[in-house]
Amino acid sequence: MDKKSFTQHISRQYNEDLEHIITRVMTMGGLVEQQLEAALDALVDGDQAKGEQVVTSDYRINAMEVELDEACTNVLARRQPTASDLRLIVAVIKTITDLERIGDEAERVGRMALHLLEEDRRRSPMAEIAALGEQVKGMVRGALDVFARMDAEQAVRVAQEDIKADAQYDSIIRHLVKDLENHPKSVPPVLDIVWATRSLERIGDRSRNICEYVVYFVRGKDVRHTSFEQMAEEATGDRH
């Protein structure tokens, strides 16, 4: 669905207000992607500067959430939108909340990375953790892309990537639990890695949420807490 399909109103200012909100959401998404990239560099490669950057830059994402929340509130108050415009505003409010939380999870990954020594990384399944990081990075990028295009069918495909992320997470946790059993004195660094890995898994969940909001906007159906099959049926309108 092209952006113009929800910005054709008699009031040019109304069109501009909605276009500005969508543009700012994408800018916020870009900041979130940068934070996640830096957090992964800190965790996997031991880049301390990137870890500190993530920890000290989270305020920018928080500020954008506040700005966008206020812009949406103003549209609700002044325009009293109905139908698809109302769904758009609801989808934006929910999306910026999840983007802010992805930023929080990235900040947590960066903070945990600052605690780790190089020997902690060598003993950990960093190749698997890096693969999970790439998986959720792709999900964030995909979620932002389907939001920009309001593509419900592609949103389902991106959301389904969460199955792979969950499987990767489970595999990493099994490895870390075994490491704790073999090296009980390594509890603090292993727990830092567990929490960082958990944050990566949560980023996948948040990306799936954004995809669900796209389906809600396009089809007017709330697909939260449904199966991927149900989500696909609602996204395509193909129900038997």
Side-chain angles (χ1 to χ4, degrees), residues 13 28 109 115-116 135 153 155 174 183 193 212 220 237:
Q13 185 60 52
M28 183 180 180
V109 171
H115 298 165
L116 299 176
Q135 175 70 14
E153 293 185 32
R174 285 194 298 270
H183 305 91
I193 295 170
E212 291 172 348

Side-chain angles (χ1 to χ4, degrees), residues 21-235:
I21 286 172
I22 296 302
T23 299
R24 294 299 287 167
V25 171
M26 300 310 298
T27 300
M28 183 180 180
L31 286 176
V32 167
E33 287 190 281
Q34 291 173 19
Q35 285 285 85
L36 178 55
E37 181 76 35
L40 288 169
D41 287 345
L43 179 64
V44 176
D45 300 329
D47 190 327
Q48 295 283 300
K50 291 289 183 66
E52 291 169 1
Q53 172 191 321
V54 173
V55 170
T56 57
S57 299
D58 189 51
Y59 74 93
R60 297 167 63 198
I61 294 171
N62 295 341
M64 290 202 74
E65 182 196 20
V66 172
E67 173 201 328
L68 278 162
D69 196 48
E70 182 177 352
C72 289
T73 300
N74 287 339
V75 168
L76 288 171
R78 291 188 293 107
R79 303 295 182 180
Q80 298 181 353
T82 58
S84 64
D85 287 343
L86 180 59
R87 294 201 306 274
L88 174 63
I89 295 301
V90 170
V92 166
I93 291 171
K94 290 179 178 294
T95 294
I96 61 175
T97 297
D98 274 293
L99 286 176
E100 189 275 333
R101 289 174 180 169
I102 290 173
D104 285 346
E105 298 293 357
E107 188 267 341
R108 187 173 293 110
V109 171
R111 186 153 31 85
M112 294 299 102
L114 292 174
H115 298 165
L116 299 176
L117 301 175
E118 189 54 40
E119 66 179 90
D120 300 323
R121 289 186 175 82
R122 283 198 300 268
R123 196 172 60 239
S124 301
M126 276 301 164
E128 290 183 61
I129 293 171
L132 174 60
E134 289 301 314
Q135 175 70 14
V136 299
K137 269 173 52 181
M139 289 185 67
V140 172
R141 189 178 305 113
L144 289 168
D145 181 61
V146 298
F147 181 88
R149 295 185 293 110
M150 290 299 166
D151 185 336
E153 293 185 32
Q154 181 62 19
V156 176
R157 289 188 280 273
V158 174
Q160 287 175 326
E161 289 293 309
D162 196 36
I163 297 172
K164 182 176 179 180
D166 288 345
Q168 291 172 304
Y169 170 74
D170 290 342
S171 175
I172 293 166
I173 293 302
R174 285 194 298 270
H175 184 119
L176 293 173
V177 168
K178 186 176 293 185
D179 187 44
L180 279 175
E181 293 171 350
N182 296 331
H183 305 91
K185 292 183 179 179
S186 66
V187 169
V190 171
L191 286 180
D192 285 337
I193 295 170
V194 167
W195 290 123
T197 306
R198 175 60 175 161
S199 287
L200 293 177
E201 190 272 338
R202 291 295 294 151
I203 288 170
D205 291 342
R206 299 292 181 190
S207 301
R208 172 183 171 168
N209 289 350
I210 293 170
C211 293
E212 291 172 348
Y213 307 146
V214 170
V215 175
Y216 166 73
F217 167 68
V218 175
R219 296 297 182 184
K221 298 292 184 179
D222 188 342
V223 293
R224 293 175 298 171
H225 315 299
T226 64
S227 68
F228 286 117
E229 290 76 13
Q230 291 172 298
M231 185 178 177
E233 289 175 358
E234 295 293 357

